[in-house]
Amino acid sequence: QLRFEAPDEKKFPALRLAREAGTIGGTLPAVFNAANEIAVEQFIAGEIRFDGIWNRVENVMQRHESIASPDLDAIVESDRWAREVALNESTK
C-alpha cells in the first residue's frame, strides 16, 4: 500500500528553496541550480557538511536580485554569478 504525504519542508529545506525559485521564476531557478551544483560538489569533496548544501544555496539565493523576464544572456550571467558567489562562500 502506498501512502502519500505532503513533504516536510523543515526536514528537507531544499524543497522550500526549489519551490521558491520556481514560484518567483526569472533568473532565480538558474541561481538555485548553479548554487546547488557548487554546494553538492563541496559536500562530496568534504568541504561542507550535508546541511551546508541548503544553507549555501539559500545564502546565494538571498543575495541575488532576480530578473523577472530574462533573456538567455541574463540567465547565463546569473548562473555564472551564482557559481562564483557559492564558491566564495566557502572562503568566509
Side-chain angles (χ1 to χ4, degrees), residues 1-76:
Q1 179 180 21
L2 291 176
R3 188 177 75 173
F4 294 93
E5 298 178 9
D8 185 343
E9 291 185 357
K10 288 190 186 244
K11 285 185 182 176
F12 306 103
L15 292 173
R16 176 184 53 80
L17 297 174
R19 188 172 321 214
E20 179 182 332
T23 299
I24 293 171
T27 53
L28 199 55
V31 168
F32 169 84
N33 182 69
N36 186 63
E37 287 182 4
I38 295 299
V40 168
E41 288 175 4
Q42 292 170 331
F43 168 71
I44 290 169
E47 297 170 7
I48 62 173
R49 296 177 9 167
F50 183 73
D51 62 351
I53 296 171
W54 71 265
N55 280 316
R56 174 87 23 101
V57 172
E58 184 172 45
N59 289 341
V60 174
M61 286 175 65
Q62 287 176 347
R63 293 177 60 186
H64 180 65
E65 292 184 31
S66 188
I67 299 170
S69 297
D71 60 14
L72 181 57
D73 288 339
I75 293 169
V76 170

